[in-house]
Amino acid sequence: MIYLDHHAASPLNASVRARMDDVGATAWANPSSVHGAGRAARAILERARREVGEAFGVSPKSVVFTSGGTEACNLAIRGLLPVGTRRGVMTTSVEHPAVHEPSQTFTDRRQIPWSESFDVQLPRLATDELLAVQWVNHETGTLFPVARWACQAKRDGARVFVDATQAAGKIPVQFDEIGADALAIASQKIGGPAGVGALLIRGAIAPLLQGGGQERGRRPGTPNVALLAGFGEACCQLSARRASMARITRLRDQLERSLVELGAVLNGVEGPRVGTVVNASFRHLKGEELVAALDLEEVCVSSGAACSSGLQSESPVLKAMYPAEPWRARGALRFSFGPETTDEMISRAVDKLALVLQRFMIQPSQSARAR
């Protein structure tokens, strides 16, 4: 199997699996319990919290564990400016659904329109507004100037949330250097287990849920200690993960050249971007059909955000980026890479895609002869 869908989830790092195995006999207990078993689980939990905090340059007290990146985004967007104290939210037009959809709960919603460089000044924000933006786009890898935007928003007195789920492990992410009030991280994007993540926060936040005082009252519920131990270990490996980015960028460039030779048009290459993803469209084909055909060839890719699979056939990100070329959204494929990706995987994936494209191109003439 050729796995090229790391922007959805990366395989578990070997040291992460080892850590989770090591704590398995202890991590089952409720870390809120005061007896010995609970204290042992608590020690594992707090070690993971320290590791996450150290990886992103914050105090452990600023780390709120969640069930993943989606919950972290929702907690930030709904909690930084609770209902009754907020006026509006400003986002980009290409956000992940985890940011876009909770932003719809605001009466006043403004979007930063797409531009090739995003070298724009934000409109002035009010003190009861929230700037909620992604750092790295999940489909194209586009890098946004979040530090500059956050600086401007803070001068206006607004609150700032940054979705860093696709940035962690690809570029250095230090919370204090961004200037945001909150920042979301997802474990499965950095070689950790799915089902856990974190919101790094500065100051108070209103909880989404009620029913317990866990996470200093910010996120009630009994945590999955074993998964969080794996998350902590994944954070310890972030430097090694980032060290592979130069090699991965070379693989990206290699794949892009091959895709162009096969007739694809590249998406999102106009501005700065990370090296872990290629987004390409085929004018007369549907991305979802290509994904299915490649899956039969044991090549794992996607046509957009994994959370949207089966719900929509066209990428809203590419629709916003290329409104005059709707075929780009219909015919998109996303190939994304991690430290496990090799030259051989890229070469084999290109060969498989060439076979798939040949079959798709032959079918219309065969159907015509049959009629």
Side-chain angles (χ1 to χ4, degrees):
M1 185 176 68
I2 305 167
Y3 186 78
L4 299 175
D5 197 19
H6 287 256
H7 272 214
S10 272
L12 282 180
N13 184 290
S15 64
V16 169
R17 289 196 298 269
R19 170 77 75 84
M20 292 170 66
D21 288 342
D22 286 345
V23 305
T26 307
W28 57 268
N30 190 324
S32 296
S33 298
V34 297
H35 49 60
R39 293 196 303 273
R42 186 75 182 185
I44 297 169
L45 178 71
E46 295 309 320
R47 175 183 173 183
R49 196 186 307 278
R50 289 193 300 273
E51 290 168 337
V52 174
E54 289 171 4
F56 299 106
V58 299
S59 163
K61 294 180 180 180
S62 296
V63 177
V64 180
F65 285 133
T66 67
S67 63
T70 295
E71 184 189 345
C73 291
N74 274 263
L75 177 57
I77 293 169
R78 297 172 185 269
L80 283 174
L81 292 176
V83 175
T85 67
R86 65 194 191 194
R87 187 178 82 178
V89 61
M90 182 182 295
T91 67
T92 74
S93 58
V94 294
E95 293 297 328
H96 188 279
V99 171
H100 173 74
E101 292 183 16
S103 296
Q104 301 306 299
T105 63
F106 286 70
T107 302
D108 183 10
R109 300 182 296 274
R110 292 194 282 170
Q111 285 190 340
I112 308 165
W114 170 260
S115 74
E116 291 183 357
S117 66
F118 262 87
D119 187 23
V120 296
Q121 291 296 319
L122 300 181
R124 186 174 180 85
L125 288 99
T127 56
D128 52 356
E129 281 189 289
L130 172 69
L131 175 66
V133 291
Q134 61 187 185
W135 196 337
V136 172
N137 185 263
H138 51 294
E139 294 192 22
T140 66
T142 300
L143 273 162
F144 297 96
V146 293
R148 177 166 62 81
W149 285 355
C151 182
Q152 180 182 336
K154 298 304 287 185
R155 284 199 303 267
D156 293 340
R159 308 296 297 277
V160 179
F161 163 63
V162 173
D163 173 10
T165 54
Q166 291 292 356
K170 302 175 179 69
I171 59 176
V173 176
Q174 292 293 295
F175 188 39
D176 285 344
E177 294 177 6
I178 297 303
D181 296 287
L183 186 146
I185 304 293
S187 170
Q188 81 274 14
K189 311 294 187 184
I190 59 172
V196 288
L199 184 69
L200 314 180
I201 66 168
R202 181 180 288 108
I205 194 165
L208 288 181
L209 307 175
Q210 305 296 322
Q214 294 93 339
E215 297 301 301
R216 298 177 178 266
R218 300 169 295 191
R219 198 275 183 179
T222 302
N224 189 318
V225 177
L227 294 184
L228 289 169
F231 180 26
E233 176 61 25
C235 288
C236 292
Q237 304 301 321
L238 282 178
S239 294
R241 195 173 189 87
R242 290 195 301 270
S244 67
M245 288 300 109
R247 180 184 65 83
I248 289 172
T249 300
R250 179 178 58 79
L251 294 179
R252 179 202 68 186
D253 295 343
Q254 174 187 331
L255 177 58
E256 288 185 340
R257 288 191 294 269
S258 297
L259 290 173
V260 171
E261 290 175 0
L262 290 173
V265 173
L266 303 177
N267 301 315
V269 298
E270 299 87 353
R273 55 189 176 131
V274 295
T276 54
V277 62
V278 173
N279 194 300
S281 296
F282 292 86
R283 184 181 292 269
H284 301 296
L285 298 174
K286 292 184 178 180
E288 57 186 0
E289 293 179 352
L290 291 173
V291 169
L294 285 169
D295 185 49
L296 293 176
E297 299 292 337
E298 297 188 317
V299 180
C300 301
V301 299
S302 70
S303 59
C307 65
S308 299
S309 297
L311 298 179
Q312 57 193 24
S313 58
E314 299 181 8
S315 161
V317 169
L318 297 184
K319 281 185 176 181
M321 291 174 63
Y322 306 104
E325 299 174 290
W327 58 270
R328 288 188 188 245
R330 287 194 300 268
L333 285 179
R334 182 184 73 175
F335 304 80
S336 50
F337 324 118
E340 299 82 4
T341 309
T342 65
D343 290 77
E344 182 187 4
M345 289 179 181
I346 298 299
S347 297
R348 288 171 56 206
V350 170
D351 290 342
K352 298 287 189 180
L353 177 59
L355 290 173
V356 166
L357 291 173
Q358 186 178 31
R359 289 201 298 269
F360 272 89
M361 297 306 179
I362 289 172
Q363 284 175 351
S365 61
Q366 288 178 333
S367 299
R369 284 198 299 270
R371 288 194 297 269

